[in-house]
Amino acid sequence: MQERVRFAPSPTGYLHVGGARTALFNWLYARKTGGKFILRIEDTDLERSTEESVNAILEGMKWLGMDWDEGPFYQTERMDIYKKYIEQLLESGAAYKCYCTTEELDAMREKLKEEGKKPQYDGRCRNRTEFPEDKPFVVRLRIPEGAVTFNDLIKGSITVNNAEIDDFILARSDGSPTYNFTVVVDDYLMGMTKIIRGDDHVNNTPKQIHIYNALGWKVPDFAHVPMILGSDKTRLSKRHGATSVMAYYEMGYLHEAMLNYLLRLSWSYGDKEIFSIDEMQELFTIDNIGRSPGVFNPDKLLWLNAHYIKEKNDEDLAELVFPFLRKIVSEDNKIEREALIKLMPHLKDRGKLLTEIAEMAQPYFVKAEELVYDEAGFEKFVVAGKEYLEELISEIKELDELNEKTLTPVFENILKKFNIKFLKIAQALRVSFTGKTFSPGIFEVMEFLGKEEVIKRVQAALNKIS
Ligand code: GLU
Ligand code: ZN
């Protein structure tokens, strides 16, 4: 049997870290088993669902590279289907119309509370024989006696007494179906074999099983994944940092790092920390999902990101850095692809984020006049080094090209002549070239910039002194 699993977000906000992890587990399960991964947008809450949010979710899925095989299906386009099954349940008697008014229900609950009972619907319309034509009604499921038991693939066996579940609403008075109902209808019709979702839904599962039973449908397997907590062990929220997946893209994270991080957050394979996407797809099992909540740890995510940045080849990394660099290099400057690639080996060990690498690369793609000098560095190295920088320019003018071989004797001369250490002139040059006190090896930078640009930048820095 081919496995079929789904991710079923409600489009009421961006793609959340927790949602992305749920999607990841489903996606990996489908890829691991050669099954299908279905995307379903649960947009029946018209007040809270937005198209913007649908787009944000799709964008997040695409960035993470979680491709779906079917969908996206939209529940709002399936209203006729839900209606049909509501009718069917009414006909079979598994559901019934409830005409109780809000006042009646309030009074009923009050009374139950006073009697020390659970304030749930008491089923008073179950055996109604009159059906007033002009009065609004909701449709409720007739919950049988007994109990429901299911074997959660993560949490183990769960039993809920039916007395705990009231005859809950399947369709509201305007005819619109409720969440539990649409989920069951879709999961069944879309052929889901396993429901892997956050354990905030575990309380819905017994209700949903009652709906499956009422319709005579086979109940799928459930796997409820423990939630994600922040460092203070409370539910992950904005207080703990960004919770939107795309915010991590904007901060300069790689999708591989994000996926690896989300995977390890509540799943393990011995002590292994680093999983390529191929490995994830090969090794993933529901059995290895942990039972306790994962604690979000931004340092670990950053560590993984640094790892994946180092692992990229220069071409791919340049490609990834480009959009971030483009944002901080003014428009009239061209960013040569080849030049950016050449810079990568010198930057990839220094930046943990694509944005950091872009920032380090920025000075090499702007004009000398656009450089922003680190003030302290400028004083300490450029102002102090005026004389030997001038000397260096005049000597470099005589060279045909700049590389370690041609530059070494020039530097040796200057060090001797001014009796200084290499670091001093190197720092003075770094600040002149980039505005910053750190850069790749100074000969490499000079070779990268070329003679003309080196002279221009040192001259521009010297001109700033007065
Ligand atoms: N739409 C639900 C949510 O976003 C998920 C439903 C489900 O996975 O069963 O929380
Ligand atoms: Zn009623």
Side-chain angles (χ1 to χ4, degrees), residues 6 8-10 42 179 183 187 195 197 200-201 208:
R6 48 56 163 193
S10 303
E42 306 209 315
Y179 157 72
V183 166
D187 283 341
I195 309 298
R197 62 183 171 194
D200 48 333
H201 284 291
Q208 294 181 7

Side-chain angles (χ1 to χ4, degrees), residues 57-345:
I57 291 167
L58 298 182
E59 190 190 19
M61 294 290 288
K62 281 178 194 156
W63 175 55
L64 291 172
M66 293 194 275
D67 53 333
W68 52 93
D69 304 303
E70 294 172 26
F73 298 110
Y74 293 84
Q75 288 193 319
T76 45
E77 291 171 10
R78 299 169 58 79
M79 288 301 178
D80 290 346
I81 301 174
Y82 308 132
K83 206 163 265 166
K84 183 181 135 196
Y85 288 102
I86 293 283
E87 292 300 324
Q88 187 177 312
L89 286 173
L90 281 171
E91 259 160 52
S92 73
Y96 62 90
K97 294 176 181 174
C98 162
Y99 289 84
C100 295
T101 61
T102 319
E103 294 76 39
E104 259 176 283
L105 292 173
D106 287 347
M108 181 196 77
R109 286 200 195 94
E110 255 336 289
K111 191 161 165 274
L112 284 168
K113 256 195 239 166
E114 273 165 29
E115 292 167 8
K117 293 182 186 147
K118 205 172 162 186
Q120 54 184 23
Y121 184 67
D122 64 4
R124 60 180 63 184
C125 290
R126 278 183 161 210
N127 302 313
R128 216 176 228 286
T129 47
E130 271 170 71
F131 302 100
E133 256 175 48
D134 52 344
K135 293 251 170 64
F137 62 86
V138 300
V139 176
R140 291 183 183 273
L141 187 68
R142 193 186 300 271
I143 303 291
E145 308 259 285
V148 27
T149 294
F150 65 100
N151 187 32
D152 189 277
L153 298 177
I154 297 168
K155 295 181 181 297
S157 178
I158 295 177
T159 297
V160 175
N161 202 320
N162 290 354
E164 297 294 313
I165 305 169
D166 66 356
D167 289 355
F168 62 92
I169 297 173
L170 302 178
R172 304 180 189 91
S173 56
D174 63 0
S176 65
T178 55
Y179 157 72
N180 279 312
F181 188 68
T182 57
V183 166
V184 169
V185 171
D186 285 346
D187 283 341
Y188 175 76
L189 294 180
M190 294 177 186
M192 295 307 136
T193 54
K194 294 209 166 31
I195 309 298
I196 307 169
R197 62 183 171 194
D199 70 0
D200 48 333
H201 284 291
V202 74
N203 292 332
N204 288 320
T205 304
K207 291 183 179 181
Q208 294 181 7
I209 290 174
H210 280 300
I211 300 174
Y212 281 100
N213 292 339
L215 286 161
W217 291 344
K218 183 177 183 297
V219 180
D221 291 330
F222 292 94
H224 288 96
V225 184
M227 59 177 156
I228 303 176
L229 304 180
S231 49
D232 59 356
K233 307 285 162 75
T234 63
R235 201 191 166 106
L236 185 68
S237 74
K238 280 192 186 141
R239 284 182 299 119
H240 303 108
T243 54
S244 152
V245 165
M246 286 314 280
Y248 286 91
Y249 163 76
E250 272 146 33
M251 284 186 263
Y253 286 88
L254 297 177
H255 79 279
E256 293 94 328
M258 197 73 207
L259 289 182
N260 194 151
Y261 182 71
L262 290 175
L263 176 71
R264 280 290 292 109
L265 201 49
S266 31
W267 180 87
S268 58
Y269 190 81
D271 292 335
K272 192 170 160 62
E273 287 292 353
I274 309 259
F275 295 85
S276 71
I277 290 172
D278 283 345
E279 284 174 322
M280 292 181 199
Q281 296 188 350
E282 198 183 302
L283 299 174
F284 182 76
T285 56
I286 294 176
D287 288 349
N288 284 6
I289 297 177
R291 284 187 180 206
S292 41
V295 177
F296 199 82
N297 176 354
D299 292 339
K300 190 163 167 199
L301 175 56
L302 193 60
W303 172 77
L304 280 167
N305 208 55
H307 165 82
Y308 283 103
I309 283 179
K310 275 188 210 129
E311 228 188 25
K312 288 274 170 205
N313 67 43
D314 299 336
E315 287 78 11
D316 292 348
L317 187 57
E319 200 75 38
L320 290 162
V321 167
F322 181 83
F324 295 100
L325 182 59
R326 192 64 273 182
K327 268 191 233 163
I328 53 173
V329 169
S330 50
E331 262 172 60
D332 50 329
N333 292 299
K334 243 180 113 182
I335 299 173
E336 300 277 2
R337 196 168 164 270
E338 286 309 312
L340 187 55
I341 293 171
K342 251 172 78 185
L343 212 48
M344 289 301 108

